[in-house]
Amino acid sequence: MIQLQFFARYRDVLGRDAEQMPWDAELRTLEDVRARLLARGEAWQVLAEQRLMCARNQELCNLSTPVVDGDEVAFFPPVTGG
Amino acid sequence: MRIDVQTASFDPGELLNQLHADYQGTGAVVGFVGYVRDFNDGDPVSGMWLEHYPGMTEKALADIVEQAQARWLLHEVHVLHRVGQLEPGEPIVFVGVASAHRQAAFEANTFIMDYLKTRAPFWKRESTPQGERWVDAKHSDEQALSRWQSPGESS
């Protein structure tokens, strides 16, 4: 399983803060995970944003970062703290 | 290093004094306090909700402080960021840096704030007369990082 998390505006648009995605060997990178989500339909296109940020196991990464079974993967809009 | 992510407010003066109390060799303490403004992007703001990524937030802040400690000789660093509901005039964030001399303390403080604003997982949602809205990230915040990066580097 991949543990997915969504934050802030993405969570509002997607109507969920987390879900489990079954893992399979074709999920090699975060880009593959995102592609599965984008294929679900209109609301999910929010994840196509140029400035999307992502994290693997609670560390910032990029879409080419590899994923493995059991990972926690998060997608979120640009951060606005401080 | 001290990292706090909390809903409670704080007294910046107490935090500054604490940074000096820890080491007698400290000659300089630089503190930054960020506050909630009552105006943003042309609209009055009556309140703000601060969301974060529990677990990752603390790690991201600690990572930023470690990078600062690798660049400057620092005696102590304290980063405190509030989450949850905040009202105009309330403090949101404190970054305090103690060092032997002022230059390291000033530079490290700016470095930490620049990275906090662009790499730590916090999001602001503000209340305006038109309703609630997520605050957009500023391109200028991302550009500010370039002053810390050598040519060709991008992280």
Side-chain angles (χ1 to χ4, degrees):
Chain A
M1 287 287 182
I2 304 289
Q3 176 65 42
L4 291 173
Q5 304 231 43
F6 309 103
F7 290 94
R9 183 164 48 84
Y10 292 178
R11 185 200 52 243
D12 285 356
V13 170
L14 300 173
R16 71 192 71 194
D17 58 8
E19 70 168 81
Q20 307 258 343
M21 175 183 275
W23 186 81
D24 63 66
E26 288 177 15
L27 289 176
R28 285 182 290 264
T29 66
L30 266 74
E31 182 66 76
D32 297 330
V33 173
R34 180 172 78 149
R36 292 269 174 100
L37 296 172
L38 289 173
R40 289 177 176 182
E42 196 175 340
W44 296 87
Q45 303 316 304
V46 72
L47 300 181
E49 285 183 358
Q50 188 83 42
R51 297 171 75 196
L52 166 133
M53 292 179 75
C54 50
R56 172 182 172 254
N57 296 333
Q58 304 189 347
E59 275 192 30
L60 284 183
C61 66
N62 53 53
L63 290 167
S64 61
T65 299
V67 286
V68 298
D69 196 9
D71 277 354
E72 179 176 309
V73 169
F75 293 109
F76 41 86
V79 300
T80 55
Chain B
M1 175 195 319
R2 187 173 158 197
I3 306 286
D4 295 304
V5 179
Q6 64 185 49
T7 55
S9 193
F10 61 90
D11 178 340
E14 270 180 33
L15 302 185
L16 280 174
N17 287 336
Q18 190 57 50
L19 277 165
H20 179 255
D22 291 344
Y23 298 98
Q24 293 302 306
T26 289
V29 173
V30 169
F32 172 82
V33 186
Y35 294 93
V36 181
R37 281 178 296 148
D38 64 358
F39 218 78
N40 192 32
D41 282 342
D43 293 306
V45 172
S46 60
M48 182 174 278
W49 174 262
L50 247 297
E51 176 174 334
H52 75 122
Y53 184 169
M56 176 173 168
T57 311
E58 296 80 357
K59 281 190 246 179
L61 294 174
D63 180 60
I64 292 166
V65 172
E66 277 170 20
Q67 289 180 54
Q69 288 170 326
R71 291 177 83 122
W72 295 277
L73 187 58
L74 307 175
H75 294 165
E76 180 60 302
V77 178
H78 186 183
V79 178
L80 185 160
H81 205 297
R82 291 178 67 197
V83 294
Q85 186 63 36
L86 296 166
E87 308 304 326
E90 287 195 67
I92 308 180
V93 60
F94 174 83
V95 173
V97 178
S99 188
H101 302 288
R102 72 182 185 285
Q103 189 177 353
F106 272 122
E107 289 181 1
N109 197 302
T110 306
F111 174 94
I112 290 167
M113 273 309 301
D114 283 351
Y115 276 86
L116 184 154
K117 290 206 76 102
T118 50
R119 298 290 184 267
F122 295 99
W123 301 272
K124 291 176 180 142
R125 192 185 67 210
E126 58 192 13
S127 306
T128 73
Q130 287 81 44
E132 306 267 313
R133 67 183 181 197
W134 291 102
V135 173
D136 268 336
K138 290 190 184 70
H139 189 55
S140 57
D141 287 333
E142 190 66 35
Q143 284 179 320
L145 289 188
S146 61
R147 65 179 129 187
W148 307 114
Q149 292 165 350
S150 49
E153 184 188 357
S154 68
S155 71

